[in-house]
Amino acid sequence: MTTGTVRTEAAEIVAEVARRLADPAAVARITEGAVDRFPDGSTPATWHPAALNEGCLGIALLHAELGDRPSAHAYLARGTKAAMPGQGSLFAGLPAVVFATRAAVTRPGDYASLLGRAEPAVRAAADERAREEIDRITAGRPGTAFAAYDVVQGLTGLGRLLLGTGHAEPAVRYLIALTEPVEVGGARVPGWWVAHAPLKNTPDGEGHFNLGLAHGVAGPLALLAVAHRDGLRLPGQEAAIERIVTWLLEWLHEGSWPSVVGFHRQLRGPDGSTRPDRPSWCYGAPGIARALQLAGLALDRPSWRETAASVLRRALARPWDEWDMIDAGLCHGWAGMLHMTRLIAADDDAGDLRDAVDGLARRVVGCFDPEAPFGFRYAAGAGAAVAPDRAGFLEGAAGIALALHGYANDGPANTGWDTALLLN
């Protein structure tokens, strides 16, 4: 199957998914009330209208990227109506509304009233959170949390949202401070030590250091790098980038990083015991490699860029059927791997990586299921019984279609939808 044939098939699937996601009411009849069932007995709902992940706002991104203004508006209206007052995050609530609304703007004045009300509220909430965290650091209280700093819930995601408006400085200043070493139990450790466990509903234990792009220090690294490239350069920013990269490279072993490093493991130091993981956006070598590449581009460090490309090559060299890839989604599936490989290949000008992009696109195309309501089905391991019919961004059909659309057109996103993943 030639590149042209795969791109044509990808474009056809994108059009079909968009058609199936055209009616918000029809989508809601399938998604509302869906729950996941986990081994610990919890049954969280999967659909939240005012969310990017599995909600109206994530689907609005797809229609906006495709230039379907009426469909994008229909989803935005539903998502905005459901947004609750409060701080929110890039992936839920008012900040998510702002992100999706900006993506839908096609001419000056579009959504000016909504953005004029929402953006100041988002800035104020982000600034307050940054002040609280800087006060914590200044007071010498170690231990951050995902909700404070990460991409999905914290100030890395909010900072990326605010970067294009000239109001990201408080978030960036906080992330710089977060990289300063702290003292925990008499030991000096990196300031991004997370006091809670990596997974919900599990004992906090000794806390950990998280490496993933979604919840780990790779997210702040990506934002610090992108901000630097965009001209936001604060005192200590380059040193902060250096600290994160140095630590990440210490834990790199044979092309792989651990997902997390426990407190006592950090004290012992790298031991070469890391095993290859599933290559993914949320946790995995490709997401971290993209953050490393962005840092190399920002500070003009060819060796960092070379390491990032080498890590991706090692992942691609492993038998793909051994990747433990069980769905096509952006978060930890084939579409995420497709999009990250395409971006890294483009910025590295690497022909061999571009060759792999076609193969990854074939994998995504091969996951299309005409019998599924939205064209793709979601799956999970570890004994979880998940709702398979997901329409949204991170785990659902809209995100998969966005990655396929980028591949089919072989160009940057018109709406900047992948900035929500800190990939650009």
Side-chain angles (χ1 to χ4, degrees), residues 17 21 52-53 58-59 62 328-330 335-336 339 390-405 417:
V17 170
L21 296 178
L52 283 182
N53 180 20
I59 302 174
L62 172 63
L330 281 177
H339 196 66
R390 280 159 139 84
F393 179 60
L394 274 183
E395 299 167 339
I400 299 167
L402 281 165
L404 283 176
H405 179 68
W417 62 264

Side-chain angles (χ1 to χ4, degrees), residues 338-362:
L338 166 64
H339 196 66
M340 288 185 293
T341 301
R342 199 170 67 80
L343 293 178
I344 293 174
D347 281 339
D348 194 59
D349 194 22
D352 61 323
L353 295 180
R354 287 197 185 93
D355 292 341
V357 169
D358 290 334
L360 291 166
R362 291 187 190 98

